[in-house]
Amino acid sequence: MTSSLFVISLLLSLSSAVFSDDASFQKLPVPGKRSGPESFAFDTTGKAFYTGVSGGKILKYTPEKGFEDFAQITQTSNSSLCYGLIGTALAGKCGRPAGIAFNPKTGDLYVADAPLGLHVIPPAGGLATKIADSVDGKPFKFLDGLDVDPTTGVVYFTSFSSKFSPSQVFIAVGLKDASGKLFKYDPATKAVTVLMEGLSGGAGCAVSSDGSFVLVSEFIKSNIKRYWITGPKAGTIEDVTSSVSNPDNIRRIGSTGNFWVASVKNKVIMPTDPSAVKIDSSGKVLQTIFLKNEFGNTLVSEANELDGKLYIGTLTGPFAGIMKL
């Protein structure tokens, strides 16, 4: 959404969400005048999570030390210029990490930075290395979701739009843009290829635990598709479900075969009624957790489960949330 919409969303999250007194819900305020912990990645120890925030930083969180700086998308991300930003302000200079995921075998952290392209961060953190900012000579305009195939290490990532930039997302939504794509990056060949086109707000993506398919959400169209990676249907695409309203990031739940989807009801002015929706691999809705009490009417971007807890992120909110399941 435009900068004004991001401001509205942030103010609403501040006014109606931060006062939740639910004992099963924990707020983790983002430090350093940053905001919008959009997506989460867990390292192999399971004791730390990582999230990208406004201004181009990747933060690491442990219960013992809280949030710490782990990495940055650009050199500028460390400057005072990038502090206190909301949404996509100065994202072209500072970066704005969207989807993130680890390769569990190498420890590398892959990041889809909304305006600046696909990046990778080494296990020790530090400055990210840009892998690609275009494909077939066409620059990325607006990257969003990302996941790593746990069986092969291949990276899958989406673009919300190929016509509009992150600062123009409200226009893309209003015009029902359908120029999003699903990409594949193979670390072995260093090649980026296009797997799907015509996505209406390509948002989240999640590879199945056995690496046989990847689910892709269309935020604008309220639809989830499947791209088959292996098997007799390899290379084909099918609709999975339209039962989840305005789906954003999708995250697999271990090896259960189920997935969490962040969802809102997208209105003309702002998103409302955020929730976390659990679906199975066929798209059947198994559970819905309503999050308005904790987050107000803001755009919840991800729900990611680990060890009986649901980690919840937003595009512009001032905190990450942890909910006991």
Side-chain angles (χ1 to χ4, degrees), residues 8 10 15 52 64 74 96 106 137 146 175 179 183 192 206 217 232 279 308 312 324:
I8 292 171
L10 178 61
S15 63
E64 296 77 19
T74 70
R96 181 43 173 116
T106 66
L146 181 146
L175 295 177
S179 64
F183 306 97
V192 177
S217 62
I279 63 172
I312 305 163
K324 294 180 181 179

Side-chain angles (χ1 to χ4, degrees), residues 45-88:
T45 69
K47 297 179 180 179
F49 74 77
Y50 301 72
T51 186
V53 294
S54 65
K57 282 291 187 78
I58 304 292
L59 305 179
K60 175 182 179 180
Y61 179 89
T62 59
E64 296 77 19
K65 297 183 178 180
F67 281 111
E68 299 177 289
D69 285 354
F70 176 71
Q72 65 274 354
I73 296 298
T74 70
Q75 292 284 8
T76 309
S77 304
N78 280 326
S79 72
S80 58
L81 175 72
C82 300
Y83 288 177
L85 299 181
I86 296 174
T88 58

